[in-house]
Amino acid sequence: MSTNLEEEADGTMMCCASCGTAQVDDVKLKTCTACKSVRYCGIKCQKEHRSQHKRACKKRAAELHDEILFKQPESSHRGDCPICCLPMSLDETKSTMMTCCSKKICDGCVHSYKMRIYQEKLERICPFCRHPAPKPEAKEELDRNLMKRVNANDPAAMAQMSFRRHEEGGYDDAFRYAKKAAELGHADAHFNLSVYIYEGRVVEKDGKKRVYHLEQAAIRGHATARYNLGCAEDENGRMDRAVKHWIIAAKLGHDDSLDNLNVCFRRGLVSKEDFAATLRAHQAAVEATKSPQREAAEEARKE
């Protein structure tokens, strides 16, 4: 039965949904960009069929969107440290961005490299690209290096520059850099834009645009963006969607999402099996970010 339905759907896709014209060598049908389920031989047929197709198109487009939105990412947007190849912690303070190459290095590798430089009295260079490293207090040189990466259309550098300008009060520049980095698909840039839109300093507050950028960041593995989406769904009374977001974020190692799921579990909104599976995945994600070098860096930071 299902095979017959699939064959019927395939046959429908090979004909114009409005006039029935079949696709041949001299007739190329164009797929509906929203639902991907029907084709048309031209704009005229698409407009004529719009009234019949609108409801089904909107429903299927929403289904396709949710399929992408609620897919569990393989890893967080932070990725792996390019030196030790271990997953990066979700805590931004436990890594350092190299302005010369825009690579983020985990604190464990940075600490180990600093110890080696000190013990062997080596020249300070970037542990990744080997570029001569400026001193931490040489802010102007650090900014010049970062701007070189920005001019090279490096989205990571643009997102970092956006963050810096925002911290300095340059909100217009912060928004401009974040927007350009987001156009290049950078998760942090999308998240930053959601924050800027929420603040309303440069552009008017717009709930739909904020959610759009949160979704784009979440799809790329941004756990905090996913957590914020869950909070937004909670405020709108759609707890089923909120729980889905928090489960995905918690499985990436996000602590606040796990705390919210714990509350939902006690209220009977999450099954015992789903909560247990999420706990195991959360623990595995957190454990994967640990190493002796990173523990040594944490101890050194406390001293």
Side-chain angles (χ1 to χ4, degrees):
M1 181 69 177
S2 61
T3 304
N4 293 334
L5 289 173
E6 289 174 3
E7 291 176 353
E8 183 179 346
D10 290 340
T12 303
M13 284 289 287
M14 297 306 293
C15 299
C16 175
S18 180
C19 66
T21 300
Q23 178 167 289
V24 290
D25 291 341
D26 58 340
V27 178
K28 300 296 182 182
L29 303 180
K30 294 183 178 180
T31 306
C32 175
T33 56
C35 68
K36 317 290 185 187
S37 60
V38 296
R39 294 185 180 184
Y40 299 102
C41 59
I43 298 296
K44 182 180 178 182
C45 281
Q46 186 174 8
K47 289 181 177 179
E48 290 176 352
H49 192 249
R50 180 61 180 166
S51 58
Q52 302 175 48
H53 178 57
K54 185 176 181 179
R55 181 177 296 179
C57 180
K58 189 175 181 179
K59 181 181 178 182
R60 181 55 184 155
E63 291 173 352
L64 289 174
H65 176 265
D66 281 356
E67 285 177 13
I68 297 172
L69 180 61
F70 290 110
K71 182 179 179 180
Q72 180 72 44
E74 293 183 3
S75 64
S76 79
H77 74 293
R78 304 263 298 144
D80 299 337
C81 172
I83 305 295
C84 64
C85 298
L86 292 177
M88 298 283 274
S89 170
L90 294 181
D91 187 348
E92 293 277 355
T93 65
K94 293 184 177 180
S95 63
T96 302
M97 183 176 184
M98 303 293 115
T99 57
C100 48
C101 56
S102 298
K103 295 295 183 183
K104 288 191 176 181
I105 313 296
C106 76
D107 277 1
C109 292
V110 171
H111 176 68
S112 297
Y113 193 66
K114 285 181 177 178
M115 292 299 294
R116 180 167 174 257
I117 289 175
Y118 174 76
Q119 293 169 358
E120 301 180 18
K121 298 180 180 180
L122 301 174
E123 181 185 359
R124 287 172 52 86
I125 59 175
C126 171
F128 181 80
C129 70
R130 307 302 182 186
H131 185 278
K135 294 180 180 180
E137 60 271 15
K139 187 176 182 300
E140 291 184 2
E141 187 175 355
L142 290 169
D143 285 345
R144 282 198 301 271
N145 287 343
L146 187 60
M147 186 54 68
K148 286 180 182 179
R149 299 303 307 163
V150 170
N151 293 335
N153 283 333
D154 186 330
M158 293 176 191
Q160 182 67 16
M161 185 63 78
S162 171
F163 176 78
R164 287 192 180 186
R165 292 293 178 262
H166 186 267
E167 289 291 297
E168 296 166 355
Y171 302 118
D172 289 331
D173 285 342
F175 187 86
R176 178 167 56 85
Y177 285 123
K179 184 178 180 182
K180 191 170 182 180
E183 290 171 355
L184 296 172
H186 198 270
D188 276 326
H190 277 292
F191 179 73
N192 289 346
L193 283 175
S194 74
V195 173
Y196 302 159
I197 291 170
Y198 177 77
E199 291 175 342
R201 287 194 176 103
V202 180
V203 294
E204 292 184 6
K205 292 186 177 184
D206 188 320
K208 288 184 178 180
K209 286 184 179 179
R210 175 175 176 261
V211 168
Y212 166 77
H213 287 295
L214 284 175
E215 288 180 346
Q216 291 302 311
I219 289 169
R220 290 164 172 79
H222 201 295
T224 304
R226 179 76 65 178
Y227 169 77
N228 287 353
L229 281 174
C231 293
E233 295 289 9
D234 182 14
E235 291 175 1
N236 291 329
R238 295 185 289 195
M239 280 302 300
D240 56 330
R241 294 175 69 86
V243 166
K244 286 182 181 180
H245 283 303
W246 291 332
I247 286 176
I248 293 172
K251 287 182 177 180
L252 293 173
H254 196 261
D255 293 334
D256 289 341
S257 293
L258 188 65
D259 291 342
N260 282 10
L261 285 174
N262 191 14
V263 174
C264 291
F265 174 65
R266 293 200 299 268
R267 291 168 56 189
L269 299 174
V270 182
S271 69
K272 183 178 180 180
E273 293 76 14
D274 286 344
F275 187 56
T278 304
L279 275 173
R280 290 192 295 270
H282 176 272
Q283 185 63 26
V286 172
E287 289 296 324
T289 65
K290 295 181 179 179
S291 73
Q293 292 79 11
R294 294 181 183 183
E295 291 174 5
E298 187 69 22
E299 289 298 321
R301 183 191 300 184
K302 292 177 182 178
E303 292 177 358

